[in-house]
């Protein structure tokens, strides 16, 4: 509801499309799924599902035409990317698509059979490549990917090449903790004052545990 404050900045046609999209979703959202018989959908419900598919197809066609052009301009520089992102954010891609995706995921969790019958989901899958190409141009994409790949805390240094910012981010392990962990079947070892877990390597190594 907070985003409705910005509705005045949208064009009348875009605002009408958004309301129409929400109307379709509300008609498909099950009021009461208790006792519902699978595959027993009313003609009206199937009609709304067919209408959602046609609407999604038209929306995806528009976005598939817009994103390649946006990508070709955005790849020029970071400034161009920022300007193009603002334009895309105010277009159908930035206003209708995010809410449509979330709505379809919600409908899929509530009534998967009906959504499969409607057939709108495969149409959205065709946008993934276009969206991926555009998002890969974002400044700091490598940093964000590294943070996503970095498993809690210490693994981040392997991707960024940077040590932890301060000692508070480093987990301190006492000698007693290490010994107790290894007694319970773990395989921690200390190299240059740092603790390494080589349990997985132990199962793959041909040298045996004694050398390790």
């Amino acid at each position: 509801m907070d985003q409705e404050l910005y509705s005045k900045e949208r064009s009348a046609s875009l605002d009408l499309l958004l309301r129409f999209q929400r109307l379709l979703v509300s008609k498909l959202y099950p009021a009461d799924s208790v006792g519902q018989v699978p595959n027993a959908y009313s003609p009206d419900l199937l009609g709304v599902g067919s209408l959602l598919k046609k609407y999604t197809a038209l929306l995806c066609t528009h976005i598939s035409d817009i994103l390649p052009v946006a990508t070709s301009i955005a790849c020029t520089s970071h400034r161009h990317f920022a300007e193009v992102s603002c334009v895309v954010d105010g277009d159908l891609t930035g206003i209708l698509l995010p809410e449509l995706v979330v709505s379809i995921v919600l409908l899929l969790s509530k009534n998967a059979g009906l959504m499969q019958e409607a057939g709108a989901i495969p149409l959205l899958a065709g946008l993934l490549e276009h969206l991926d190409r555009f998002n890969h141009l974002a400044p700091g994409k490598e940093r964000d990917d590294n943070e996503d790949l970095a498993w809690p805390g210490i693994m981040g240094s392997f991707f960024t090449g940077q040590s932890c910012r301060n000692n508070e981010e480093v987990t301190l392990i006492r000698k007693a903790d290490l010994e107790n962990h290894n007694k319970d079947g773990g395989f921690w070892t200390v190299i240059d004052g740092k603790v390494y877990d080589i349990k997985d390597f132990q199962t793959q190594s041909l040298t045996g545990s004694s050398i390790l």
Side-chain angles (χ1 to χ4, degrees), residues 173-194:
I173 299 177
R174 300 173 301 174
K175 183 178 179 180
D177 296 331
L178 185 142
E179 293 175 351
N180 291 333
H181 179 81
N182 289 345
K183 288 180 181 179
D184 294 335
F187 205 151
W188 286 355
T189 186
V190 180
I191 304 175
D192 293 335
K194 295 182 179 180

Side-chain angles (χ1 to χ4, degrees), residues 95-136:
I95 296 178
L96 299 181
L97 182 61
E99 186 170 316
L100 178 63
V101 171
V102 173
S103 299
I104 288 183
V105 171
L106 178 62
L107 290 172
L108 186 63
S109 67
K110 292 292 184 179
N111 198 334
L114 178 61
M115 294 309 299
Q116 291 176 359
E117 189 78 21
I121 298 177
L123 299 174
L124 292 172
L127 297 177
L128 292 178
E129 185 176 352
H130 296 299
L131 291 169
D132 192 55
R133 287 178 180 174
F134 183 79
N135 289 333
H136 269 71

Side-chain angles (χ1 to χ4, degrees), residues 65-175:
D65 293 338
I66 291 295
L67 279 182
V69 179
T71 302
S72 63
I73 300 175
C75 68
T76 307
S77 67
H78 292 337
R79 180 179 178 183
H80 284 80
F81 178 84
E83 295 292 338
V84 170
S85 296
C86 291
V87 175
V88 171
D89 191 47
D91 186 59
L92 304 182
T93 309
I95 296 178
L96 299 181
L97 182 61
E99 186 170 316
L100 178 63
V101 171
V102 173
S103 299
I104 288 183
V105 171
L106 178 62
L107 290 172
L108 186 63
S109 67
K110 292 292 184 179
N111 198 334
L114 178 61
M115 294 309 299
Q116 291 176 359
E117 189 78 21
I121 298 177
L123 299 174
L124 292 172
L127 297 177
L128 292 178
E129 185 176 352
H130 296 299
L131 291 169
D132 192 55
R133 287 178 180 174
F134 183 79
N135 289 333
H136 269 71
L137 299 175
K141 185 265 302 180
E142 291 82 3
R143 183 190 66 246
D144 293 339
D145 285 349
N146 291 338
E147 290 178 355
D148 291 339
L149 291 172
W151 183 73
I154 199 68
M155 287 300 293
S157 61
F158 287 95
F159 295 100
T160 61
Q162 300 176 354
S163 59
C164 294
R165 295 177 186 146
N166 53 58
N167 292 334
E168 292 179 355
E169 297 181 5
V170 179
T171 301
L172 299 179
I173 299 177
R174 300 173 301 174
K175 183 178 179 180

Side-chain angles (χ1 to χ4, degrees), residues 20-94:
F20 175 71
Q21 176 177 296
R22 291 174 176 175
L23 178 62
L24 288 176
V25 173
S26 66
K27 292 294 183 181
L28 291 172
Y29 193 84
D32 185 10
S33 59
V34 178
Q36 186 176 14
V37 181
N39 299 325
Y41 306 118
S42 66
D44 291 342
L45 200 59
L46 293 176
V48 176
S50 177
L51 194 58
L52 177 65
K53 180 180 179 180
K54 294 179 181 179
Y55 169 80
T56 304
L58 292 173
L59 181 63
C60 291
T61 300
H62 172 79
I63 296 175
S64 297
D65 293 338
I66 291 295
L67 279 182
V69 179
T71 302
S72 63
I73 300 175
C75 68
T76 307
S77 67
H78 292 337
R79 180 179 178 183
H80 284 80
F81 178 84
E83 295 292 338
V84 170
S85 296
C86 291
V87 175
V88 171
D89 191 47
D91 186 59
L92 304 182
T93 309

